[in-house]
Amino acid sequence: MKKQIAILGSTGSIGTQALQVIEEHPDLYEVYALTANNRVDLLVEQARKFMPEAVVIANEEKYLQLKEALSDLPVKVYAGADALSQIVESQPIDIVLASMVGYAGLRPTINAIKAGKAIALANKETLVVAGELINALANQYHIPVLPVDSEHSAIFQCLEINNRLEKVILTASGGPFRTYTMEQLQTVTKAQALKHPNWEMGAKITIDSASMMNKGFEVIEAKWLFGMRPEQIEVVVHPQSVIHSMVQFEDGAVKAQLGMPDMRLPIQYAFSYPERVKSSFERLDFARITDLTFEQPDTKRFRNLALAYEALYRAGNMPCIVNAANEVVVDAFLKDKISFLGMSDVIEQTMGKVAYIKEPTYEDYVDTDAEARRVALSLLSS
């Protein structure tokens, strides 16, 4: 029987690649639901091609446009945040691919877990904001949370047989500004930041990668996915993006997962787990790989990584504060309202101004997110 897939964020980079995986294996997977935030035209195109049971547009102002465009098809059309959170509860769904960007992915993921759906997690902010809550719910409802981030998928694959970990090693490309001096970083533009050397991603995650906040979020995510202490999570810059991550065991042995920088590989593995499915994706050609290099990240030039570690050590609602402030400053940077280095300043100040809660509830996360956004916005305008 085909696995029924719901894709939250089907018009984004992860969502579109997930549809390529499904298209390659029509005997294994079927699209049950597609959701998007604003991109109606692409959502319509996807719905006509994959004929899901339902589509959801988060922006309610786009509902009539979407409804009219699909009026000749037997596809249910919904709109709004509530609809996004409800569609994942649909009985036929087997797997929910959580690939929405940012804090908005938290509530639908919680609903999907409570509804007994396997989670293929590409929305790292869900674990950054509320990792303890998500893990508790996943254990309570006996739901697998399968990592889609290439780094966490690599660690997951390295751990299939082995345990007794000493540490995990997350690789980072270093982004477009790996060799820049502090003086050069003062004047980088959004056009420069959006040119990632190895990966094709959406604007928000590309900026996060350039500032290394994305790697900081992956450090927090690794804690919740693999039960690691902060000091057991190491980041190593690996510009070639061939080794996606590594694990080190108690005897000193290191195991790495290698592959092309192609997000369809971890997406497909999350869909097929625990099996592997043949794919037509490009293979590594070791005759062309002349260098695999590694270096330590510079947390003085890329302070966001240090701020993420600080949030992880402090725990509680601090990662939620960092995530909310980061979403605000990245949006501001993309609108030319803040400098590249200024983003870290606002995040750090927000961490010091928002009330700290050691053991937050879901309601605390909601309130913290709102408060941190207000503080970050006020710092931007001051």
Side-chain angles (χ1 to χ4, degrees):
M1 185 177 293
K2 298 179 183 179
K3 289 182 180 179
Q4 298 292 312
I5 312 290
I7 302 179
L8 305 182
S10 67
T11 59
S13 174
I14 297 295
T16 54
Q17 291 177 86
L19 289 172
Q20 293 173 22
V21 170
I22 293 170
E23 186 176 15
E24 178 154 333
H25 300 287
D27 55 324
L28 299 178
Y29 313 119
E30 192 167 60
V31 177
Y32 183 87
L34 298 172
T35 83
N37 188 30
N38 282 301
R39 300 177 67 184
V40 171
D41 291 342
L42 181 53
L43 184 59
V44 168
E45 180 183 323
Q46 291 174 343
R48 290 192 169 278
K49 183 171 185 178
F50 291 92
M51 293 297 292
E53 181 73 17
V55 296
V56 183
I57 188 79
N59 185 345
E60 296 185 38
E61 295 179 2
K62 308 266 185 159
Y63 172 73
L64 290 178
Q65 180 184 350
L66 179 62
K67 179 77 171 174
E68 183 177 342
L70 297 176
S71 60
D72 59 323
L73 298 181
V75 176
K76 298 182 180 72
V77 179
Y78 305 101
D82 288 344
L84 271 175
S85 295
Q86 291 165 7
I87 196 65
V88 298
E89 301 171 351
S90 301
Q91 194 278 327
I93 294 173
D94 297 301
I95 300 174
V96 173
L97 172 61
S99 58
M100 298 169 64
V101 174
Y103 172 82
L106 177 60
R107 185 178 160 209
T109 303
I110 288 174
N111 282 27
I113 291 172
K114 290 181 176 180
K117 313 303 180 186
I119 306 298
L121 189 66
N123 171 260
K124 59 177 61 65
E125 291 87 353
T126 290
L127 288 182
V128 170
V129 169
E132 189 168 10
L133 174 62
I134 293 297
N135 273 10
L137 288 171
N139 289 331
Q140 179 183 345
Y141 290 91
H142 307 290
I143 296 305
V145 178
L146 303 167
V148 169
D149 261 350
S150 61
E151 294 84 357
H152 300 97
S153 177
I155 294 168
F156 184 61
Q157 292 177 58
C158 288
L159 292 177
E160 284 179 323
I161 299 173
N162 301 280
N163 51 23
R164 302 191 68 81
L165 272 184
E166 186 168 86
K167 67 178 177 180
V168 298
I169 304 164
L170 295 170
T171 56
S173 69
F177 307 132
R178 181 174 60 87
T179 61
Y180 277 41
T181 64
M182 286 293 288
E183 290 72 22
Q184 290 173 309
L185 288 173
Q186 293 279 3
T187 57
V188 298
T189 65
K190 67 181 179 184
Q192 291 173 297
L194 287 169
K195 292 181 180 178
H196 195 280
N198 298 337
W199 297 92
E200 292 290 334
M201 305 176 290
K204 196 267 183 183
I205 192 173
T206 304
I207 300 303
D208 282 348
S209 181
S211 72
M212 292 204 77
M213 181 58 88
N214 185 58
K215 200 56 51 180
F217 284 168
E218 288 175 4
V219 168
I220 299 172
E221 191 178 5
K223 169 187 168 53
W224 298 112
L225 284 171
F226 308 113
M228 309 301 290
R229 300 187 305 277
E231 62 271 20
Q232 290 180 292
I233 307 168
E234 180 181 350
V235 173
V236 172
V237 175
H238 169 53
Q240 296 81 21
S241 295
V242 170
I243 294 177
H244 296 299
S245 277
M246 297 169 274
V247 298
Q248 182 170 305
F249 300 100
E250 290 182 343
D251 61 0
V254 175
K255 187 175 180 181
Q257 189 265 331
L258 288 70
M260 295 296 295
D262 185 338
M263 282 304 301
R264 293 175 298 176
L265 298 173
I267 292 169
Q268 178 170 296
Y269 189 63
F271 284 174
S272 67
Y273 181 80
E275 305 297 329
R276 288 190 181 271
V277 175
K278 185 176 177 60
S279 79
S280 63
F281 310 147
E282 185 181 358
R283 269 53 174 169
L284 279 179
D285 181 356
F286 286 96
R288 296 168 56 190
I289 299 174
T290 57
D291 281 306
L292 295 179
T293 61
F294 306 92
E295 59 195 66
Q296 292 300 303
D298 186 338
T299 54
K300 292 183 179 179
R301 285 186 299 139
F302 299 97
R303 289 167 51 214
N304 282 354
L305 180 58
L307 294 175
Y309 267 106
E310 181 183 342
L312 181 56
Y313 274 104
R314 294 179 66 182
N317 67 335
M318 192 55 65
C320 181
I321 295 168
V322 170
N323 178 74
N326 183 66
E327 290 191 18
V328 169
V329 296
V330 169
D331 180 68
F333 179 72
L334 288 169
K335 294 176 179 175
D336 299 315
K337 294 181 178 179
I338 192 172
S339 69
F340 184 78
L341 293 178
M343 292 191 290
S344 298
D345 295 332
V346 171
I347 293 168
E348 185 172 28
Q349 291 176 57
T350 304
M351 293 170 70
K353 291 178 178 291
V354 177
Y356 173 72
I357 303 172
K358 185 176 181 179
E359 297 180 354
T361 64
Y362 173 73
E363 290 72 22
D364 291 329
Y365 289 126
V366 174
D367 292 343
T368 295
D369 177 78
E371 183 186 356
R373 289 174 192 273
R374 286 194 297 270
V375 170
L377 284 169
S378 69
L379 290 168
L380 281 173
S381 59
S382 63

